[in-house]
Coordinates of all heavy atoms in Angstrom, one line a residue:
M1 N -39.0 29.8 16.0 CA -37.8 29.7 15.3 C -36.6 30.2 16.0 O -36.7 31.2 16.7 CB -37.9 30.5 14.0 CG -36.6 30.5 13.1 SD -36.8 30.7 11.4 CE -37.2 32.4 11.2
T2 N -35.5 29.5 16.0 CA -34.3 29.8 16.7 C -33.3 30.3 15.7 O -33.0 29.7 14.8 CB -33.7 28.6 17.5 OG1 -34.7 28.1 18.3 CG2 -32.5 29.0 18.3
L3 N -32.7 31.5 16.0 CA -31.6 32.0 15.2 C -30.3 31.4 15.6 O -30.0 31.3 16.8 CB -31.6 33.5 15.3 CG -32.8 34.2 14.7 CD1 -32.7 35.7 14.9 CD2 -32.9 33.9 13.2
V4 N -29.4 31.1 14.7 CA -28.1 30.5 15.0 C -27.1 31.6 14.5 O -27.2 32.0 13.4 CB -27.9 29.3 14.3 CG1 -26.4 28.7 14.5 CG2 -28.9 28.2 14.7
Q5 N -26.3 32.0 15.4 CA -25.3 33.0 15.0 C -24.1 32.3 14.5 O -23.5 31.4 15.1 CB -24.8 33.8 16.2 CG -23.9 35.0 15.9 CD -23.6 35.9 17.1 OE1 -24.0 35.6 18.1 NE2 -23.0 36.9 16.8
M6 N -23.7 32.6 13.3 CA -22.5 32.0 12.6 C -21.3 32.8 12.8 O -21.3 34.0 12.8 CB -22.8 31.8 11.1 CG -24.0 31.1 10.8 SD -23.9 29.4 11.2 CE -22.9 28.8 10.0
Q7 N -20.2 32.1 13.1 CA -18.9 32.9 13.2 C -18.3 33.0 11.8 O -18.3 32.0 11.1 CB -17.9 32.1 14.1 CG -18.3 32.0 15.5 CD -18.3 33.3 16.2 OE1 -17.5 34.1 15.9 NE2 -19.2 33.5 17.1
P8 N -17.9 34.2 11.4 CA -17.3 34.3 10.1 C -16.0 33.5 10.0 O -15.3 33.5 11.0 CB -17.1 35.8 9.9 CG -17.1 36.4 11.3 CD -17.9 35.4 12.2
R9 N -15.7 33.0 8.9 CA -14.5 32.2 8.7 C -13.5 33.1 8.1 O -13.7 33.8 7.1 CB -14.8 31.1 7.7 CG -13.6 30.2 7.5 CD -14.1 29.0 6.7 NE -12.9 28.2 6.3 CZ -13.0 27.1 5.6 NH1 -14.1 26.7 5.1 NH2 -11.9 26.5 5.4
P10 N -12.3 33.2 8.6 CA -11.3 34.1 8.1 C -10.9 33.7 6.6 O -11.0 32.5 6.3 CB -10.0 33.8 9.0 CG -10.6 33.2 10.2 CD -11.8 32.5 9.8
A11 N -10.7 34.7 5.8 CA -10.5 34.5 4.4 C -9.3 33.6 4.1 O -9.2 32.9 3.1 CB -10.3 35.8 3.7
N12 N -8.3 33.7 5.0 CA -7.0 32.9 4.8 C -7.0 31.5 5.4 O -6.0 30.8 5.4 CB -5.8 33.7 5.2 CG -5.8 34.0 6.7 OD1 -6.8 33.7 7.4 ND2 -4.7 34.5 7.2
A13 N -8.1 31.1 6.1 CA -8.2 29.9 6.7 C -8.5 28.7 5.7 O -9.6 28.7 5.1 CB -9.3 29.9 7.8
N14 N -7.6 27.8 5.6 CA -7.8 26.7 4.7 C -7.8 25.5 5.5 O -7.1 25.3 6.4 CB -6.7 26.6 3.7 CG -6.7 27.7 2.6 OD1 -7.8 28.2 2.3 ND2 -5.5 28.1 2.2
P15 N -8.7 24.5 5.2 CA -8.7 23.3 5.9 C -7.4 22.5 5.7 O -6.8 22.6 4.6 CB -9.9 22.5 5.4 CG -10.2 23.1 4.1 CD -9.7 24.5 4.1
A16 N -6.9 21.8 6.7 CA -5.7 21.0 6.5 C -5.9 20.0 5.4 O -7.0 19.4 5.4 CB -5.3 20.4 7.8
P17 N -4.9 19.8 4.6 CA -5.1 18.8 3.5 C -5.2 17.4 4.2 O -4.5 17.1 5.1 CB -3.8 18.9 2.7 CG -2.9 19.7 3.5 CD -3.6 20.5 4.5
R18 N -6.0 16.5 3.5 CA -6.1 15.1 4.0 C -4.8 14.4 3.7 O -4.2 14.5 2.7 CB -7.3 14.5 3.2 CG -7.7 13.3 3.7 CD -9.0 12.9 3.0 NE -9.4 11.6 3.5 CZ -10.1 10.7 2.7 NH1 -10.4 11.0 1.5 NH2 -10.3 9.5 3.2
T19 N -4.4 13.6 4.7 CA -3.2 12.9 4.6 C -3.4 11.4 4.5 O -4.5 10.9 4.7 CB -2.2 13.2 5.8 OG1 -3.0 12.9 7.0 CG2 -1.8 14.6 5.8
A20 N -2.3 10.6 4.2 CA -2.4 9.2 4.0 C -3.0 8.5 5.2 O -3.7 7.5 5.1 CB -1.1 8.7 3.6
D21 N -2.6 8.9 6.4 CA -3.1 8.2 7.6 C -4.6 8.3 7.8 O -5.2 7.4 8.4 CB -2.3 8.7 8.9 CG -2.6 10.1 9.2 OD1 -3.0 10.9 8.3 OD2 -2.4 10.5 10.3
T22 N -5.2 9.2 7.2 CA -6.7 9.3 7.3 C -7.4 8.5 6.2 O -8.6 8.3 6.3 CB -7.2 10.8 7.3 OG1 -6.9 11.4 6.1 CG2 -6.6 11.6 8.5
A23 N -6.7 8.2 5.2 CA -7.4 7.6 4.0 C -6.9 6.2 3.8 O -7.6 5.4 3.0 CB -7.0 8.4 2.7
M24 N -5.9 5.7 4.5 CA -5.5 4.3 4.2 C -6.4 3.3 4.7 O -7.2 3.5 5.7 CB -4.1 4.1 4.8 CG -4.1 4.1 6.3 SD -2.4 3.9 6.9 CE -2.7 3.9 8.7
E25 N -6.3 2.1 4.1 CA -7.1 0.9 4.6 C -6.2 0.3 5.7 O -5.0 0.5 5.7 CB -7.2 -0.1 3.4 CG -7.9 0.4 2.3 CD -7.8 -0.6 1.1 OE1 -7.3 -1.7 1.2 OE2 -8.3 -0.2 0.0
A26 N -6.9 -0.4 6.6 CA -6.1 -1.1 7.6 C -5.1 -2.0 6.9 O -5.4 -2.4 5.7 CB -7.1 -1.9 8.5
A27 N -4.1 -2.3 7.6 CA -3.0 -3.1 7.0 C -3.6 -4.4 6.3 O -4.3 -5.1 6.9 CB -1.9 -3.5 7.9
A28 N -3.2 -4.6 5.1 CA -3.5 -5.8 4.3 C -2.8 -7.0 5.0 O -1.9 -6.8 5.8 CB -3.1 -5.7 2.9
P29 N -3.1 -8.2 4.7 CA -2.3 -9.3 5.2 C -0.8 -9.1 4.9 O -0.5 -8.7 3.8 CB -2.9 -10.5 4.4 CG -4.3 -10.1 4.0 CD -4.2 -8.6 3.7
Q30 N -0.1 -9.4 5.9 CA 1.4 -9.2 5.8 C 2.1 -10.6 5.8 O 1.7 -11.4 6.6 CB 1.9 -8.3 6.9 CG 1.4 -6.9 6.9 CD 2.0 -6.1 7.9 OE1 3.2 -6.1 8.1 NE2 1.2 -5.3 8.6
V31 N 3.0 -10.8 4.9 CA 3.7 -12.0 4.8 C 5.2 -11.7 4.7 O 5.6 -10.6 4.5 CB 3.3 -12.8 3.5 CG1 1.8 -13.2 3.6 CG2 3.6 -12.0 2.3
C32 N 6.0 -12.8 5.0 CA 7.5 -12.6 5.0 C 8.0 -12.8 3.6 O 7.4 -13.5 2.7 CB 8.1 -13.6 5.9 SG 9.8 -13.3 6.2
D33 N 9.1 -12.1 3.2 CA 9.7 -12.1 1.8 C 10.3 -13.5 1.5 O 10.6 -13.7 0.3 CB 10.7 -11.0 1.7 CG 11.9 -11.0 2.5 OD1 12.0 -12.0 3.4 OD2 12.8 -10.2 2.4
D34 N 10.4 -14.4 2.4 CA 10.9 -15.7 2.1 C 9.8 -16.7 1.7 O 10.0 -17.8 1.3 CB 11.7 -16.3 3.2 CG 11.0 -16.7 4.4 OD1 9.8 -16.3 4.5 OD2 11.5 -17.4 5.3
M35 N 8.5 -16.2 1.6 CA 7.4 -17.0 1.2 C 7.5 -17.2 -0.4 O 7.9 -16.3 -1.1 CB 6.1 -16.3 1.6 CG 4.9 -17.0 1.1 SD 3.3 -16.1 1.6 CE 3.3 -16.6 3.4
T36 N 7.0 -18.4 -0.8 CA 7.0 -18.6 -2.2 C 5.8 -18.0 -2.9 O 4.8 -17.6 -2.2 CB 7.0 -20.2 -2.6 OG1 5.7 -20.7 -2.1 CG2 8.1 -20.9 -1.9
V37 N 5.9 -17.8 -4.2 CA 4.8 -17.2 -4.9 C 3.6 -18.0 -4.8 O 2.5 -17.5 -4.6 CB 5.2 -17.0 -6.4 CG1 4.1 -16.6 -7.3 CG2 6.4 -16.0 -6.5
E38 N 3.7 -19.3 -4.9 CA 2.5 -20.2 -4.8 C 1.8 -20.0 -3.4 O 0.5 -19.9 -3.4 CB 2.9 -21.7 -5.0 CG 3.3 -22.0 -6.4 CD 2.2 -21.8 -7.4 OE1 1.0 -22.1 -7.1 OE2 2.6 -21.3 -8.5
V39 N 2.5 -20.0 -2.3 CA 1.9 -19.8 -1.0 C 1.3 -18.4 -0.9 O 0.2 -18.3 -0.4 CB 2.9 -20.1 0.1 CG1 2.3 -19.8 1.4 CG2 3.5 -21.5 0.0
A40 N 2.0 -17.4 -1.5 CA 1.4 -16.0 -1.4 C 0.1 -16.0 -2.2 O -0.9 -15.3 -1.7 CB 2.4 -15.1 -2.0
L41 N 0.0 -16.6 -3.3 CA -1.2 -16.6 -4.1 C -2.4 -17.3 -3.3 O -3.5 -16.9 -3.3 CB -1.1 -17.3 -5.5 CG -0.3 -16.4 -6.5 CD1 0.1 -17.3 -7.7 CD2 -1.2 -15.2 -6.9
A42 N -2.0 -18.4 -2.6 CA -3.0 -19.1 -1.7 C -3.5 -18.2 -0.6 O -4.7 -18.2 -0.3 CB -2.4 -20.4 -1.3
V43 N -2.5 -17.5 0.0 CA -2.9 -16.5 1.1 C -3.8 -15.5 0.6 O -4.8 -15.1 1.2 CB -1.7 -15.9 1.7 CG1 -2.0 -14.8 2.6 CG2 -0.8 -16.9 2.5
M44 N -3.6 -14.9 -0.6 CA -4.4 -13.9 -1.2 C -5.8 -14.5 -1.5 O -6.8 -13.8 -1.2 CB -3.9 -13.4 -2.5 CG -2.8 -12.4 -2.4 SD -2.4 -11.8 -4.1 CE -0.6 -11.5 -3.8
A45 N -5.9 -15.7 -2.0 CA -7.2 -16.3 -2.3 C -8.0 -16.5 -1.0 O -9.2 -16.2 -0.9 CB -7.0 -17.6 -3.0
S46 N -7.3 -17.0 0.1 CA -8.0 -17.2 1.3 C -8.4 -15.9 2.0 O -9.5 -15.9 2.7 CB -7.2 -18.1 2.3 OG -6.1 -17.4 2.7
A47 N -7.6 -14.9 1.9 CA -8.0 -13.6 2.5 C -8.8 -12.7 1.6 O -9.3 -11.7 2.0 CB -6.6 -12.8 2.7
R48 N -9.1 -13.2 0.4 CA -10.0 -12.5 -0.6 C -9.5 -11.1 -0.8 O -10.2 -10.1 -0.7 CB -11.4 -12.5 -0.1 CG -12.0 -13.9 -0.2 CD -13.5 -13.8 0.1 NE -14.1 -15.1 -0.1 CZ -14.7 -15.8 0.8 NH1 -14.8 -15.3 2.0 NH2 -15.2 -17.0 0.6
T49 N -8.2 -11.0 -1.1 CA -7.6 -9.7 -1.4 C -6.7 -9.8 -2.6 O -6.4 -10.9 -3.0 CB -6.7 -9.2 -0.2 OG1 -6.2 -7.9 -0.4 CG2 -5.5 -10.2 0.0
D50 N -6.4 -8.7 -3.2 CA -5.6 -8.7 -4.5 C -4.2 -8.2 -4.2 O -3.5 -8.0 -5.2 CB -6.3 -7.9 -5.6 CG -6.5 -6.5 -5.3 OD1 -6.3 -6.1 -4.1 OD2 -7.0 -5.7 -6.2
H51 N -3.8 -8.0 -3.0 CA -2.4 -7.5 -2.7 C -2.1 -8.0 -1.3 O -2.9 -8.2 -0.4 CB -2.3 -6.1 -2.9 CG -3.2 -5.3 -2.0 ND1 -4.4 -4.8 -2.4 CD2 -3.1 -4.8 -0.7 CE1 -5.0 -4.1 -1.5 NE2 -4.2 -4.1 -0.4
L52 N -0.7 -8.1 -1.1 CA -0.2 -8.5 0.2 C 1.0 -7.6 0.5 O 1.8 -7.2 -0.4 CB 0.4 -9.9 0.2 CG -0.5 -11.1 0.0 CD1 0.3 -12.4 -0.2 CD2 -1.5 -11.2 1.2
L53 N 1.1 -7.1 1.8 CA 2.3 -6.4 2.2 C 3.3 -7.4 2.5 O 3.1 -8.5 3.0 CB 2.0 -5.6 3.5 CG 1.1 -4.4 3.3 CD1 0.6 -3.9 4.6 CD2 1.8 -3.3 2.5
V54 N 4.6 -7.1 2.1 CA 5.7 -8.1 2.3 C 6.7 -7.4 3.2 O 7.0 -6.2 3.1 CB 6.4 -8.4 0.9 CG1 7.5 -9.4 1.1 CG2 5.3 -8.9 0.0
G55 N 7.2 -8.2 4.2 CA 8.2 -7.7 5.1 C 9.4 -8.6 5.2 O 9.4 -9.8 4.7
D56 N 10.4 -8.1 5.8 CA 11.7 -8.8 5.9 C 11.6 -9.6 7.3 O 10.7 -9.5 8.0 CB 12.9 -8.0 5.7 CG 13.0 -6.9 6.7 OD1 12.3 -6.9 7.8 OD2 13.9 -6.0 6.5
E57 N 12.8 -10.2 7.6 CA 12.9 -11.0 8.8 C 12.8 -10.1 10.1 O 12.6 -10.5 11.2 CB 14.1 -11.8 8.9 CG 15.5 -11.1 8.8 CD 15.9 -10.7 7.4 OE1 15.3 -11.1 6.4 OE2 16.9 -9.9 7.4
D58 N 13.1 -8.8 9.9 CA 13.0 -7.8 11.0 C 11.6 -7.2 11.1 O 11.4 -6.3 12.0 CB 14.0 -6.7 10.8 CG 15.5 -7.3 10.9 OD1 15.7 -8.2 11.7 OD2 16.3 -6.8 10.1
G59 N 10.7 -7.5 10.3 CA 9.3 -7.0 10.3 C 9.2 -5.7 9.6 O 8.1 -5.0 9.7
L60 N 10.2 -5.2 8.9 CA 10.1 -4.0 8.1 C 9.5 -4.3 6.8 O 9.8 -5.3 6.1 CB 11.5 -3.4 8.0 CG 12.2 -3.0 9.2 CD1 13.6 -2.4 9.0 CD2 11.4 -2.1 10.1
C61 N 8.7 -3.4 6.3 CA 8.0 -3.5 5.1 C 9.0 -3.4 3.9 O 9.8 -2.4 3.9 CB 6.9 -2.4 4.9 SG 5.9 -2.6 3.4

Side-chain angles (χ1 to χ4, degrees):
M1 174 154 75
T2 304
L3 295 175
V4 177
Q5 185 174 8
M6 303 293 285
Q7 294 291 328
R9 185 173 174 180
N12 62 352
N14 291 326
R18 192 168 173 213
T19 55
D21 64 340
T22 62
M24 69 182 179
E25 301 170 5
Q30 297 184 42
V31 297
C32 193
D33 63 358
D34 67 347
M35 180 178 282
T36 65
V37 169
E38 290 299 322
V39 174
L41 286 167
V43 169
M44 279 187 214
S46 66
R48 294 189 173 118
T49 186
D50 62 352
H51 58 266
L52 295 172
L53 289 167
V54 181
D56 62 13
E57 64 277 352
D58 297 322
L60 300 178
C61 186

